[in-house]
Amino acid sequence: MSKTYYFPNGEHNDEFFGGSDAVCVDIEEVQRLACEWGMTTDELMARLHEATEDEISEYGVYNTYWYAVM
């Protein structure tokens, strides 16, 4: 089973990445960003699409890792 990554629709590239390098993100990162930006996951997902193999190849991927703090 392969992991799904997301990339912003063209008109949202600048607001999504700001001055950072473009990268395809996993659903955990989408959820984290939505929370950080005061949006619902659905609101942010409306600005994204499933990354294509070409986008993944060109931009790479970012995997979110959650660590439990004890």
Side-chain angles (χ1 to χ4, degrees):
M1 181 167 96
S2 64
K3 190 168 183 176
T4 302
Y5 294 94
Y6 301 91
F7 199 76
N9 299 329
E11 68 272 18
H12 298 290
N13 281 349
D14 289 341
E15 68 184 273
F16 193 84
F17 296 117
S20 300
D21 292 335
V23 66
C24 303
V25 296
D26 61 12
I27 190 63
E28 291 84 7
E29 182 66 359
V30 172
Q31 293 168 334
R32 187 193 72 74
L33 289 170
C35 183
E36 184 177 306
W37 295 342
M39 305 170 80
T40 67
T41 300
D42 287 341
E43 288 172 325
L44 185 51
M45 286 298 292
R47 301 174 184 193
L48 307 174
H49 62 270
E50 188 173 325
T52 65
E53 288 296 321
D54 287 343
E55 288 169 330
I56 291 170
S57 180
E58 182 174 349
Y59 301 111
V61 298
Y62 179 81
N63 290 294
T64 303
Y65 296 98
W66 294 91
Y67 296 98
V69 178
M70 303 198 137

